[in-house]
Amino acid sequence: ETPEAVQNFKDEFSIEYPLLLNEGGEITDIYRPIGLPTTWFIDKDGVVRFTFSGPMTRESLQVILEDVAAGREPDPFAVISS
């Protein structure tokens, strides 16, 4: 997507966390997504703690964020059932 399209998406959904632009393909080379959309949950030390492929609900996002912030491994089955 273009930077403008990403900004519009962030504005429309009131997203406050950073979104990466993959204009040169570097993100794909580094993280190797297996599907789109793919969300990586990265802790304050820059360590990828969880990866989720597919669309997410607000509730599933909140569950994962709480687990990552608390240092717990998110339960993907709990996310799916949210």
Side-chain angles (χ1 to χ4, degrees):
E1 301 290 340
T2 65
E4 295 79 18
V6 172
Q7 187 61 52
N8 289 340
F9 177 81
K10 284 183 75 166
D11 294 344
E12 180 179 348
F13 291 97
S14 302
I15 295 173
E16 296 179 14
Y17 53 85
L19 298 176
L20 298 175
L21 295 176
N22 193 29
E23 293 178 298
E26 301 88 10
I27 303 303
T28 301
D29 292 342
I30 294 169
Y31 292 104
R32 303 279 186 205
I34 55 175
L36 295 176
T38 299
T39 304
W40 290 271
F41 294 84
I42 303 169
D43 71 13
K44 63 182 180 182
D45 298 318
V47 176
V48 175
R49 295 294 178 187
F50 188 71
T51 303
F52 187 88
S53 293
M56 298 182 73
T57 63
R58 181 179 299 268
E59 292 79 17
S60 62
L61 176 62
Q62 186 63 40
V63 168
I64 293 171
L65 288 173
E66 288 171 3
D67 285 344
V68 170
R72 296 185 300 262
E73 179 71 25
D75 177 358
F77 296 107
V79 172
I80 291 169
S81 63
S82 316

